[in-house]
């Protein structure tokens, strides 16, 4: 899941980004509306956490720009103005949810997850393939009814591969979707994390690699 945090208060933006990354999400940050608009043109996001009072391009205008896109992200609008009238006006602009500052971070996490599930392109809550069952909401994963003890990044990597299946995802695809724009494209972090995930999934192996193409989940029964 890839998130864009648009917040001009830099300390708050970093707190939001780190907290969301701790939940296994890939997070990009913009501190003004112009930067946010440029990132939205470059990347596909599931959810935008959007401060309303932004420099450059106001949050209201940016919200309308997002909602006019064909494959648009869901928008969680943040604002210090939390009156019923403010919430109504924010939702009228096309925001999918509205959260007044100050807020409890666990509530923000739950709202982001709920919006991602509501996104028109999202799939079934429980993902299943090759004996794997993964529930993104409960953060649980099993293989053949055996509970998997996965790190945050291993869980996000497995979820991304399951959502893409049976298609291949390249190293660049995985860096973009599981990590974020700050990931070093020359690092071996994907290879290392894939290796750890393979060991935890056990035998027979279900993550296949095609050199020059990428990785995918494949059911050993189908490969026989």
């Amino acid at each position: 899941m890839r998130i864009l945090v648009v917040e001009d208060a830099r300390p708050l933006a970093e707190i939001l980004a780190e907290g969301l990354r701790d939940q296994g999400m890939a997070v990009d940050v913009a501190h003004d509306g112009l930067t946010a608009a440029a990132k939205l043109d470059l990347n596909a996001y599931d959810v935008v956490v959007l401060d309303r009072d932004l420099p450059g391009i106001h949050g209201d205008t940016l919200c309308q720009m997002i909602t006019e896109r064909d494959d648009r992200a869901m928008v969680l609008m943040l604002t210090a103005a939390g009156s019923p009238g403010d919430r109504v006006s924010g939702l009228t602009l096309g925001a999918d949810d509205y959260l007044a500052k100050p807020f409890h971070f666990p509530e923000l996490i739950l709202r982001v997850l709920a919006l991602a599930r509501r996104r028109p392109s999202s799939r079934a809550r429980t993902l299943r393939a090759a004996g794997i069952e993964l529930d993104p909401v409960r953060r649980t994963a099993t293989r053949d009814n055996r509970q998997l003890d996965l790190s945050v990044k291993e869980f996000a990597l497995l979820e991304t591969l399951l959502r893409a299946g049976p298609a291949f995802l390249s190293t660049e695809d995985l860096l973009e979707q599981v990590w974020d724009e700050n990931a070093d494209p020359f690092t071996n972090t994907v290879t290392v994390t894939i290796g750890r995930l393979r060991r935890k999934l056990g035998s027979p192996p279900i993550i296949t690699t095609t050199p020059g193409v990428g990785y995918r989940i494949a059911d050993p029964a189908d490969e026989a």
Side-chain angles (χ1 to χ4, degrees):
M1 185 187 304
R2 192 160 185 178
I3 311 296
L4 176 63
V5 171
V6 191
E7 169 62 63
D8 64 326
R10 291 176 181 264
L12 177 57
E14 291 308 311
I15 289 171
L16 290 171
E18 288 306 311
L20 291 166
R21 288 177 185 135
D22 286 345
Q23 299 297 312
M25 304 177 198
V27 184
D28 298 337
V29 178
H31 299 297
D32 61 74
L34 287 169
T35 303
K39 290 180 185 293
L40 286 160
D41 285 338
L42 288 173
N43 305 304
Y45 294 101
D46 297 290
V47 178
V48 177
V49 179
L50 177 65
D51 183 34
R52 192 166 187 181
D53 190 13
L54 290 172
I57 299 176
H58 194 273
D60 290 356
T61 303
L62 192 60
C63 182
Q64 290 176 311
M65 291 168 60
I66 294 170
T67 58
E68 288 171 358
R69 293 170 177 260
D70 291 333
D71 186 21
R72 77 176 190 85
M74 304 295 280
V75 177
L76 172 58
M77 185 173 279
L78 300 180
T79 180
S83 70
D86 293 316
R87 288 195 293 272
V88 169
S89 64
L91 295 170
T92 301
L93 290 166
D96 301 287
D97 200 356
Y98 192 101
L99 189 59
K101 301 175 184 178
F103 51 83
H104 294 291
F105 197 78
E107 180 181 1
L108 181 138
I109 293 291
L110 290 174
R111 287 175 181 253
V112 167
L113 290 171
L115 287 176
R117 292 198 304 273
R118 285 170 47 197
R119 190 168 182 239
S121 60
S122 65
R123 303 185 188 179
R125 187 176 73 178
T126 300
L127 305 172
R128 297 181 176 88
I132 300 292
E133 288 198 10
L134 182 145
D135 188 329
V137 177
R138 294 187 176 88
R139 312 296 294 175
T140 60
T142 61
R143 181 178 185 186
D144 298 328
N145 297 316
R146 173 177 60 88
Q147 193 71 36
L148 298 171
D149 182 17
L150 305 178
S151 71
V152 168
K153 281 303 179 191
E154 290 161 1
F155 187 95
L157 185 58
L158 180 58
E159 179 183 352
T160 302
L161 288 169
L162 286 169
R163 289 191 183 280
F168 283 93
L169 290 177
S170 67
T171 298
E172 292 75 17
D173 293 331
L174 292 171
L175 279 172
E176 178 180 313
Q177 296 181 44
V178 179
W179 283 265
D180 53 42
E181 64 186 359
N182 297 313
D184 182 354
F186 300 105
T187 186
N188 66 346
T189 188
V190 171
T191 303
V192 170
T193 309
I194 285 281
R196 291 202 307 264
L197 179 57
R198 278 179 168 142
R199 288 193 292 273
K200 291 185 178 182
L201 291 175
S203 297
I206 60 171
I207 299 178
T208 64
T209 307
T210 298
V213 178
Y215 306 91
R216 70 169 179 167
I217 298 288
D219 193 327
D222 296 334
E223 300 292 304

